[in-house]
């Protein structure tokens, strides 16, 4: 099978790039795989791509940032999409040409705007798959309206959690489009797992407000007071770094909490710890949680929408605490820091339970999904053209129509507010 991934910028750093590279590399064991990057800004990718996977870019910003067509806003890529300002008539043209000439059995988009391109421009003979790495509820009403119109032309939508798959089925009403949760995969660790003896808690990710590293640092203060030989190491970079450094100083935690900067890959760093931690307000999946568990770390995490609760078994391989609850987060950390045997037991469980996110099981699910979808295309189109419908399908249409109307009302209200604000200027 020939498979093409379409990604925003394969030369950057981020969870979508990591998961796309992981899946592409695992699929390359048995298939012909390429990654097509809409944009490129540097010579080589930041992350390591399996050498069996081809990589090509459509717009090279090092040479074409000033191209006349790149100065005009995109018309295919939806305006309500977060990345719209980075797209243009030039990207519209290059992506359209790429898809029209696509010599592949399957094309997989990796963000909403690119999924719209695939839905509207991919040839009929190509299986069209849209991946969702955020969540439906994370999108604005205006974007959901655009997706509802375009996504009906897709064959498959994959989400990273069961909860988000259920939201798509309930709210979008995409007749004949197969919606299924396909979790992100993490490669098998090359290093021995952590042995639970290091007195280190590790967290990793972008230093941005939604990740709530401030809450984690505050929750670690009682841990440091009771166990001054323990450390919290935070890996990553981002806009919150100065504020977090100031917080560490203000709480007097300079001997216990360390901002380590970015580390790629993280595996060697996870193996130096005994507990993983995550304090996010929102987490579509929780890639760092899986990475930590695959290295033998039980993870203490906020039970935020959507991912952590589908990854961690509370009390077995980690702990789940309410979002924003500093005291509960501190108590859960203290519980594991102070109980060596429980920490070792949870470490073994984390290793065992996280194997479901290994490339093997995830790729097997992806292959089954693609093969099933390819075989069902004719049946789906026939059923859709004949207007088949059941009571449950009618209920789905009613619920989706209600959500569509609500989204349209929100979008219209937002447009009116924008017009009023412009009139006041």
């Amino acid at each position: 099978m020939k498979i093409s991934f379409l990604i925003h910028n394969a030369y950057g750093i981020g969870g979508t790039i990591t998961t796309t590279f992981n899946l592409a590399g695992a699929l390359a064991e048995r298939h012909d795989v390429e990654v097509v990057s809409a944009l490129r800004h540097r010579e080589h990718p930041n992350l390591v791509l399996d050498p069996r996977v081809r990589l090509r870019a459509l717009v090279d910003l090092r040479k074409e940032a000033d191209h006349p067509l790149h100065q005009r806003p995109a018309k295919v890529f939806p305006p309500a999409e977060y990345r719209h300002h980075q797209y243009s008539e030039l990207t519209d043209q290059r992506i359209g040409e790429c898809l029209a000439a696509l010599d592949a059995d399957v094309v997989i988009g990796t963000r909403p705007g690119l999924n719209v391109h695939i839905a509207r421009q991919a040839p009929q003979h190509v299986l069209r798959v849209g991946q969702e790495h955020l969540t439906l509820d994370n999108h604005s009403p205006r974007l959901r309206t655009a997706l509802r119109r375009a996504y009906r032309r897709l064959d498959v939508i994959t989400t990273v959690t069961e909860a988000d798959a259920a939201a798509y089925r309930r709210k979008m009403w995409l007749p004949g489009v197969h919606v299924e949760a396909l979790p992100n995969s993490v490669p098998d660790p090359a290093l021995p797992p952590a042995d639970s003896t290091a007195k280190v808690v590790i967290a990793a990710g972008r230093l941005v407000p939604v990740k709530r590293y401030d809450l984690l640092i505050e929750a670690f203060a009682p841990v440091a007071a009771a166990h001054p030989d323990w450390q919290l190491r935070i890996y990553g970079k981002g806009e919150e770094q100065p504020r977090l450094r100031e917080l560490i100083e203000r709480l007097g935690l300079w001997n216990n909490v360390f901002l380590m900067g970015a580390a790629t890959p993280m595996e060697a760093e996870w193996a130096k710890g005994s507990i993983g931690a995550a304090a996010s307000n929102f987490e579509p999946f929780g890639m760092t949680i899986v990475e930590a568990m695959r290295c033998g770390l039980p993870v203490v995490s906020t039970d935020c929408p959507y991912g952590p609760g589908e990854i961690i078994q509370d009390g077995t391989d980690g702990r789940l605490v309410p979002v924003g609850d500093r005291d509960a987060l501190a108590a859960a950390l203290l519980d594991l820091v102070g109980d060596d045997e429980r920490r070792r037991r949870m470490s073994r469980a984390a290793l065992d339970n996280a194997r479901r996110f290994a490339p093997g099981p995830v790729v097997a699910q992806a292959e089954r999904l693609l093969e099933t979808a390819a075989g069902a295309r004719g049946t789906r189109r026939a059923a859709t053209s004949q207007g088949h419908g059941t009571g449950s399908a009618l209920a789905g249409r009613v619920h989706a129509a209600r959500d569509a109307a609500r989204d349209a009302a929100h979008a219209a209200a937002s447009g009116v507010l924008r017009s009023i604000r412009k009139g006041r200027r």
Side-chain angles (χ1 to χ4, degrees), residues 8 41 82 117 145 159 164 210 235 304 328 342 347 353 401:
H8 167 64
H41 71 289
Y82 168 70
H117 269 282
T145 296
T159 64
D164 198 39
V210 72
Y235 291 85
C304 61
R342 185 174 194 189
S347 172
N353 293 345

Side-chain angles (χ1 to χ4, degrees), residues 11-36:
Y11 297 81
I13 296 176
T16 298
I17 304 169
T18 300
T19 59
T20 300
F21 279 20
N22 287 348
L23 182 57
L27 285 167
E29 289 276 354
R30 288 162 35 89
H31 304 280
D32 182 356
V33 184
E34 72 168 350
V35 173
V36 179

Side-chain angles (χ1 to χ4, degrees), residues 104-107 118-129 150-156 174-178 372-389:
D105 302 298
V106 181
V107 60
I118 288 171
R120 293 177 59 177
Q121 297 174 319
Q124 287 292 318
H125 70 272
V126 177
L127 190 71
R128 292 162 290 184
V129 181
Y151 277 13
R152 296 185 180 203
R153 302 178 189 177
L154 295 174
D155 296 290
V156 177
L174 302 170
V177 181
H178 183 74
T372 300
R377 292 184 81 186
T379 303
R380 173 176 70 84
R381 287 171 180 166
T384 302
S385 65
Q386 293 170 17
H388 287 179

Side-chain angles (χ1 to χ4, degrees), residues 203-220:
R206 292 175 299 122
L207 305 185
V208 293
V210 72
K211 299 294 186 180
R212 291 306 309 272
Y213 290 111
D214 57 333
L215 184 76
L216 178 58
I217 292 169
E218 291 172 352
F220 195 76

Side-chain angles (χ1 to χ4, degrees), residues 68-346:
L69 289 180
H70 200 53
Q71 309 309 310
R72 303 175 189 169
K75 296 179 180 178
V76 179
F77 197 95
E81 224 268 38
Y82 168 70
R83 296 282 187 184
H84 180 261
H85 66 284
Q86 295 177 262
Y87 286 76
S88 63
E89 285 191 12
L90 182 62
T91 59
D92 279 355
Q93 180 185 93
R94 297 279 174 83
I95 294 171
E97 291 171 350
C98 169
L99 292 173
L102 201 61
D103 178 24
D105 302 298
V106 181
V107 60
I108 302 174
T110 55
R111 64 175 307 110
L114 297 178
N115 296 341
V116 169
H117 269 282
I118 288 171
R120 293 177 59 177
Q121 297 174 319
Q124 287 292 318
H125 70 272
V126 177
L127 190 71
R128 292 162 290 184
V129 181
Q131 287 185 340
E132 177 59 79
H133 289 277
L134 289 174
T135 69
L136 181 62
D137 290 342
N138 189 246
H139 299 324
S140 69
R142 187 178 172 209
L143 180 57
R144 287 198 297 266
T145 296
L147 299 184
R148 192 176 281 111
R149 292 169 181 160
Y151 277 13
R152 296 185 180 203
R153 302 178 189 177
L154 295 174
D155 296 290
V156 177
I157 294 172
T158 66
T159 64
V160 290
T161 63
E162 294 288 352
D164 198 39
Y168 266 89
R169 297 185 196 107
R170 184 175 67 254
K171 297 181 178 182
M172 292 292 274
W173 180 239
L174 302 170
V177 181
H178 183 74
V179 179
E180 184 170 324
L182 180 69
N184 294 329
S185 70
V186 172
D188 298 325
L191 299 174
D195 62 9
S196 299
T197 61
K199 297 180 178 182
V200 179
V201 177
I202 294 181
R206 292 175 299 122
L207 305 185
V208 293
V210 72
K211 299 294 186 180
R212 291 306 309 272
Y213 290 111
D214 57 333
L215 184 76
L216 178 58
I217 292 169
E218 291 172 352
F220 195 76
V223 177
H227 302 272
D229 51 347
W230 274 75
Q231 296 180 357
L232 168 63
R233 299 178 187 174
I234 299 173
Y235 291 85
K237 59 183 180 179
E239 64 193 68
E240 286 281 278
Q241 182 171 340
R243 192 169 78 89
L244 297 177
R245 192 171 300 283
E246 188 277 331
L247 177 61
I248 292 168
E249 294 290 327
R250 179 157 47 85
L251 295 177
L253 294 173
W254 48 80
N255 289 325
N256 298 94
V257 180
F258 302 92
L259 302 180
M260 306 295 291
T264 304
M266 265 295 296
E267 182 183 327
E269 308 309 318
W270 290 121
K272 296 173 185 175
S274 290
I275 301 170
S280 300
N281 286 340
F282 170 76
E283 199 67 73
F285 179 65
M287 194 70 173
T288 59
I289 296 174
V290 177
E291 289 177 355
M293 292 173 65
R294 295 226 68 200
C295 291
L297 274 63
V299 178
V300 176
S301 173
T302 47
D303 191 13
C304 61
Y306 282 77
E310 293 190 16
I311 300 171
I312 297 170
Q313 295 181 27
D314 188 30
T316 300
D317 52 23
R319 292 293 311 279
L320 294 168
V321 301
V323 175
D325 193 330
R326 179 189 59 198
D327 294 340
L329 186 58
L333 288 169
L334 280 166
D335 185 38
L336 285 182
V337 166
D339 190 334
D340 293 347
E341 178 52 38
R342 185 174 194 189
R343 194 169 64 249
R344 283 192 291 269
R345 186 171 65 251
M346 283 193 172

